[in-house]
Amino acid sequence: MSSFKNFLGASFLPASSRLSLTILRISAGATLFLRHGWEKRPTHWAYFMAHFPNLFHLGAPICFLIAFFSDFVCSLLLVVGWGTRWAAAYCFCNIFVAWAFVHHFAFFGHGFAAGHGELIVLYLAAMLAIFLGGPGHLSVDGARG
């Protein structure tokens, strides 16, 4: 019975929140970059500038540059772990604004791009966890102390 309890509790694995944060930071940052950042690379700016949502009447180019900084620059900062908490906070804010004002809090499959609602919530949760927990030990921030 004791070995079954140890198996269910996964007590054979080392408890390392620092390693967990490192894995979360790298996977969330890399996924955000590969799916949303890479498509916003400078060679595609003309398309995005013409078709990007104009939130808060800032103009589509300004809104695109805000999203570019989040999805391209901050996601790479997350992967290497440099300025991690600020990068995660910026990404969180950008993703939350997109979820609120572009996707209208869609989650269950109704409305524009509603099939992505659960992914948006997962990104938000990951960014919040990284902001609160820090970069983990395998990061530029961690190496600097």
Side-chain angles (χ1 to χ4, degrees):
M1 183 70 165
S2 172
S3 62
F4 185 67
K5 185 177 178 183
N6 288 340
F7 177 76
L8 287 179
S11 60
F12 54 90
L13 292 173
S16 173
S17 59
R18 296 183 328 161
L19 178 61
S20 299
L21 285 169
T22 300
I23 292 169
L24 179 64
R25 175 181 52 79
I26 292 171
S27 61
T31 304
L32 183 62
F33 176 77
L34 292 172
R35 177 62 182 97
H36 298 282
W38 184 246
E39 71 183 4
K40 292 178 179 77
R41 63 191 180 273
T43 57
H44 292 92
W45 279 14
Y47 171 79
F48 276 103
M49 296 286 186
H51 297 92
F52 211 75
N54 179 11
L55 300 176
F56 311 117
H57 304 288
L58 294 173
I62 297 296
C63 292
F64 169 75
L65 289 174
I66 291 168
F68 169 80
F69 189 75
S70 169
D71 299 347
F72 194 93
V73 177
C74 288
S75 64
L76 290 175
L77 290 174
L78 287 171
V79 170
V80 298
W82 188 34
T84 305
R85 288 185 167 176
W86 292 113
Y90 190 93
C91 289
F92 180 91
C93 291
N94 182 63
I95 294 166
F96 185 82
V97 166
W99 189 41
F101 295 100
V102 176
H103 300 282
H104 307 290
F105 298 107
F107 186 79
F108 291 110
H110 306 290
F112 172 71
H116 300 199
E118 76 283 355
L119 183 58
I120 294 170
V121 171
L122 287 172
Y123 272 127
L124 289 171
M127 295 305 150
L128 183 60
I130 294 165
F131 175 74
L132 294 174
H137 66 291
L138 296 176
S139 65
V140 173
D141 291 341
R144 292 185 353 202

PDB file of all heavy atoms in Angstrom, residues 128-140:
ATOM      1  N   LEU A 128       0.991  34.880 -15.603  1.00  0.00           N
ATOM      2  CA  LEU A 128       0.803  35.266 -14.209  1.00  0.00           C
ATOM      3  C   LEU A 128       1.699  34.438 -13.292  1.00  0.00           C
ATOM      4  O   LEU A 128       2.332  34.969 -12.379  1.00  0.00           O
ATOM      5  CB  LEU A 128      -0.667  35.115 -13.811  1.00  0.00           C
ATOM      6  CG  LEU A 128      -1.030  35.554 -12.395  1.00  0.00           C
ATOM      7  CD1 LEU A 128      -0.698  37.030 -12.182  1.00  0.00           C
ATOM      8  CD2 LEU A 128      -2.506  35.286 -12.142  1.00  0.00           C
ATOM      9  N   ALA A 129       1.798  33.139 -13.551  1.00  0.00           N
ATOM     10  CA  ALA A 129       2.665  32.268 -12.740  1.00  0.00           C
ATOM     11  C   ALA A 129       4.127  32.674 -12.881  1.00  0.00           C
ATOM     12  O   ALA A 129       4.871  32.705 -11.896  1.00  0.00           O
ATOM     13  CB  ALA A 129       2.474  30.807 -13.150  1.00  0.00           C
ATOM     14  N   ILE A 130       4.556  33.012 -14.078  1.00  0.00           N
ATOM     15  CA  ILE A 130       5.942  33.432 -14.300  1.00  0.00           C
ATOM     16  C   ILE A 130       6.197  34.769 -13.612  1.00  0.00           C
ATOM     17  O   ILE A 130       7.235  34.977 -12.979  1.00  0.00           O
ATOM     18  CB  ILE A 130       6.259  33.506 -15.808  1.00  0.00           C
ATOM     19  CG1 ILE A 130       6.206  32.098 -16.424  1.00  0.00           C
ATOM     20  CG2 ILE A 130       7.619  34.146 -16.054  1.00  0.00           C
ATOM     21  CD1 ILE A 130       6.152  32.091 -17.933  1.00  0.00           C
ATOM     22  N   PHE A 131       5.237  35.693 -13.717  1.00  0.00           N
ATOM     23  CA  PHE A 131       5.386  36.991 -13.058  1.00  0.00           C
ATOM     24  C   PHE A 131       5.517  36.825 -11.543  1.00  0.00           C
ATOM     25  O   PHE A 131       6.383  37.424 -10.913  1.00  0.00           O
ATOM     26  CB  PHE A 131       4.205  37.900 -13.399  1.00  0.00           C
ATOM     27  CG  PHE A 131       4.239  39.210 -12.665  1.00  0.00           C
ATOM     28  CD1 PHE A 131       5.146  40.197 -13.027  1.00  0.00           C
ATOM     29  CD2 PHE A 131       3.374  39.456 -11.624  1.00  0.00           C
ATOM     30  CE1 PHE A 131       5.191  41.408 -12.344  1.00  0.00           C
ATOM     31  CE2 PHE A 131       3.407  40.663 -10.932  1.00  0.00           C
ATOM     32  CZ  PHE A 131       4.321  41.641 -11.299  1.00  0.00           C
ATOM     33  N   LEU A 132       4.668  35.991 -10.963  1.00  0.00           N
ATOM     34  CA  LEU A 132       4.690  35.805  -9.517  1.00  0.00           C
ATOM     35  C   LEU A 132       5.861  34.944  -9.049  1.00  0.00           C
ATOM     36  O   LEU A 132       6.444  35.198  -8.000  1.00  0.00           O
ATOM     37  CB  LEU A 132       3.366  35.184  -9.052  1.00  0.00           C
ATOM     38  CG  LEU A 132       2.120  36.051  -9.227  1.00  0.00           C
ATOM     39  CD1 LEU A 132       0.872  35.259  -8.856  1.00  0.00           C
ATOM     40  CD2 LEU A 132       2.221  37.326  -8.422  1.00  0.00           C
ATOM     41  N   GLY A 133       6.202  33.918  -9.826  1.00  0.00           N
ATOM     42  CA  GLY A 133       7.211  32.956  -9.395  1.00  0.00           C
ATOM     43  C   GLY A 133       8.630  33.283  -9.802  1.00  0.00           C
ATOM     44  O   GLY A 133       9.582  32.762  -9.229  1.00  0.00           O
ATOM     45  N   GLY A 134       8.793  34.109 -10.802  1.00  0.00           N
ATOM     46  CA  GLY A 134      10.138  34.444 -11.270  1.00  0.00           C
ATOM     47  C   GLY A 134      10.595  33.525 -12.386  1.00  0.00           C
ATOM     48  O   GLY A 134       9.852  32.684 -12.869  1.00  0.00           O
ATOM     49  N   PRO A 135      11.858  33.670 -12.787  1.00  0.00           N
ATOM     50  CA  PRO A 135      12.338  33.004 -13.998  1.00  0.00           C
ATOM     51  C   PRO A 135      12.780  31.557 -13.819  1.00  0.00           C
ATOM     52  O   PRO A 135      12.960  30.853 -14.803  1.00  0.00           O
ATOM     53  CB  PRO A 135      13.543  33.852 -14.387  1.00  0.00           C
ATOM     54  CG  PRO A 135      14.054  34.371 -13.099  1.00  0.00           C
ATOM     55  CD  PRO A 135      12.832  34.611 -12.249  1.00  0.00           C
ATOM     56  N   GLY A 136      12.993  31.091 -12.612  1.00  0.00           N
ATOM     57  CA  GLY A 136      13.623  29.783 -12.436  1.00  0.00           C
ATOM     58  C   GLY A 136      15.127  29.965 -12.425  1.00  0.00           C
ATOM     59  O   GLY A 136      15.640  31.077 -12.563  1.00  0.00           O
ATOM     60  N   HIS A 137      15.849  28.883 -12.252  1.00  0.00           N
ATOM     61  CA  HIS A 137      17.298  29.023 -12.076  1.00  0.00           C
ATOM     62  C   HIS A 137      18.087  28.986 -13.372  1.00  0.00           C
ATOM     63  O   HIS A 137      19.234  29.419 -13.394  1.00  0.00           O
ATOM     64  CB  HIS A 137      17.827  27.992 -11.079  1.00  0.00           C
ATOM     65  CG  HIS A 137      17.717  26.571 -11.522  1.00  0.00           C
ATOM     66  ND1 HIS A 137      16.519  25.925 -11.641  1.00  0.00           N
ATOM     67  CD2 HIS A 137      18.672  25.695 -11.869  1.00  0.00           C
ATOM     68  CE1 HIS A 137      16.737  24.687 -12.042  1.00  0.00           C
ATOM     69  NE2 HIS A 137      18.027  24.523 -12.190  1.00  0.00           N
ATOM     70  N   LEU A 138      17.552  28.466 -14.437  1.00  0.00           N
ATOM     71  CA  LEU A 138      18.272  28.434 -15.706  1.00  0.00           C
ATOM     72  C   LEU A 138      17.840  29.621 -16.553  1.00  0.00           C
ATOM     73  O   LEU A 138      17.080  29.499 -17.512  1.00  0.00           O
ATOM     74  CB  LEU A 138      17.995  27.130 -16.442  1.00  0.00           C
ATOM     75  CG  LEU A 138      18.482  25.863 -15.754  1.00  0.00           C
ATOM     76  CD1 LEU A 138      18.054  24.639 -16.524  1.00  0.00           C
ATOM     77  CD2 LEU A 138      19.998  25.893 -15.603  1.00  0.00           C
ATOM     78  N   SER A 139      18.318  30.808 -16.197  1.00  0.00           N
ATOM     79  CA  SER A 139      17.936  32.033 -16.873  1.00  0.00           C
ATOM     80  C   SER A 139      19.024  33.070 -16.702  1.00  0.00           C
ATOM     81  O   SER A 139      19.879  32.946 -15.825  1.00  0.00           O
ATOM     82  CB  SER A 139      16.623  32.569 -16.304  1.00  0.00           C
ATOM     83  OG  SER A 139      16.808  32.957 -14.952  1.00  0.00           O
ATOM     84  N   VAL A 140      18.989  34.091 -17.525  1.00  0.00           N
ATOM     85  CA  VAL A 140      19.930  35.192 -17.374  1.00  0.00           C
ATOM     86  C   VAL A 140      19.680  35.882 -16.035  1.00  0.00           C
ATOM     87  O   VAL A 140      20.621  36.198 -15.305  1.00  0.00           O
ATOM     88  CB  VAL A 140      19.806  36.186 -18.551  1.00  0.00           C
ATOM     89  CG1 VAL A 140      20.659  37.419 -18.322  1.00  0.00           C
ATOM     90  CG2 VAL A 140      20.165  35.516 -19.864  1.00  0.00           C
TER      91      VAL A 140
END
